[in-house]
Amino acid sequence: MKTNHLYLFIISFILFSCTGQTNPAVKTVDVKTYSEKIKATPNAQILDVRTPEEYATGHIENSDNVNWLSDSFILRTDKYDKTKPVFVYCKSGGRSIKAANKLAELGFTTIYNLDGGILKWEAAGLSKPDDKIIGVCSQEYAELLNTDKEVLINFYAPWCAPCKKMEPYILKMQKEMSDKVVIIRLNADENKTIMQDLKISELPTLLLYKNKTIKWQNSGFISEEDLKKQLL
């Protein structure tokens, strides 16, 4: 019987290690839950772990900028109360989950990580209204679609891994298929206004228009072969 218990323990340990599960103190939650938890927490500790440049373009109200990529990340988190909930987010969730796990290692007992990052937050309409237009506005965007050809809009970001993987063949297709389709790439960080207007919450995102109407769309990585099938 003891042998069976030991066997089960070893199997459980291996499965836990291989699945890459996070520290039990870390809870990755959706936008609605994240927002509700913040509202229910007096003087909530909210950490934006993006770079100062990203933070300056817009952030969750009352959040502090503690750059995960900075050498001083651990030092700067010392001022926060480890016994109280801490809320962590980044652009899309990649850096924040790493930061959340580090905070758990440092002794923070309850960490809420925003699934999908501030992209999801903004797409849900939770950002504080900003009169400043960043990048193309809705009118300029509409003008991009003013053609008899199909138009493929590619929303991407320099830090986005699948975006980087797709970039070479999208640029190639931009030239090779110019007689059939107009391919336009828009940097999400530089076109925040239209991102919010279209409620785009994932990168990369592809929108294929025909006669100014969305014919097809895709979020996340797509192979060159599968993308070409939509354009032929």
Side-chain angles (χ1 to χ4, degrees):
M1 183 65 69
K2 289 184 178 179
T3 302
N4 288 339
H5 286 165
L6 178 60
Y7 177 76
L8 289 173
F9 173 79
I10 293 173
I11 292 298
S12 298
F13 177 80
I14 292 174
L15 288 173
F16 180 84
S17 301
C18 293
T19 54
Q21 293 186 40
T22 60
N23 191 296
V26 179
K27 300 173 177 62
T28 296
V29 297
D30 59 29
V31 171
K32 185 175 183 293
T33 303
Y34 193 83
S35 176
E36 290 174 348
K37 291 288 185 183
I38 288 177
K39 291 177 181 177
T41 305
N43 301 314
Q45 304 178 123
I46 310 171
L47 306 187
D48 182 321
V49 300
R50 298 175 298 161
T51 65
E53 292 77 17
E54 290 175 286
Y55 182 80
T57 65
H59 50 267
I60 293 178
E61 194 172 7
N62 298 320
S63 64
D64 294 334
N65 185 208
V66 185
N67 184 6
W68 166 247
L69 300 177
S70 170
D71 293 335
S72 62
F73 177 81
I74 294 177
L75 181 63
R76 294 192 61 192
T77 58
D78 281 346
K79 68 177 183 177
Y80 299 99
D81 190 337
K82 296 180 180 180
T83 65
K84 295 181 179 179
V86 61
F87 299 84
V88 185
Y89 74 91
C90 63
K91 186 73 172 181
S92 60
R95 284 169 287 179
S96 63
I97 191 60
K98 294 177 183 178
N101 282 319
K102 174 55 69 175
L103 291 173
E105 290 178 16
L106 294 173
F108 286 83
T109 57
T110 305
I111 305 114
Y112 290 104
N113 173 51
L114 177 57
D115 186 26
I118 199 168
L119 282 177
K120 290 282 188 182
W121 182 272
E122 292 174 342
L126 293 171
S127 292
K128 193 174 181 180
D130 190 350
D131 294 332
K132 181 181 178 182
I133 295 176
I134 301 176
V136 299
C137 64
S138 57
Q139 181 179 348
E140 292 170 326
Y141 186 81
E143 291 175 357
L144 296 176
L145 310 178
N146 192 22
T147 174
D148 294 332
K149 299 178 184 177
E150 290 187 343
V151 179
L152 179 68
I153 305 292
N154 170 210
F155 287 95
Y156 74 99
W159 47 264
C160 166
C163 297
K164 291 179 181 179
K165 191 174 181 180
M166 291 166 59
E167 180 178 9
Y169 60 77
I170 288 183
L171 291 177
K172 182 179 68 173
M173 292 165 65
Q174 193 175 42
K175 295 179 180 179
E176 294 179 349
M177 305 183 71
S178 60
D179 59 327
K180 298 178 180 179
V181 60
V182 177
I183 300 178
I184 300 170
R185 304 182 72 239
L186 294 178
N187 187 324
D189 294 333
E190 297 174 354
N191 292 280
K192 183 178 175 182
T193 299
I194 196 64
M195 287 278 293
Q196 291 183 22
D197 289 347
L198 296 175
K199 299 188 183 304
I200 294 175
S201 60
E202 296 180 47
L203 293 177
T205 284
L206 297 168
L207 301 177
L208 180 62
Y209 291 85
K210 184 174 183 179
N211 298 324
K212 302 181 182 180
T213 301
I214 294 179
K215 172 185 175 184
W216 170 84
Q217 64 185 73
N218 181 81
S219 292
F221 178 81
I222 184 172
S223 67
E224 179 178 3
E225 181 182 0
D226 287 339
L227 179 54
K228 280 185 174 180
K229 289 178 182 177
Q230 301 299 328
L231 304 179
L232 294 176

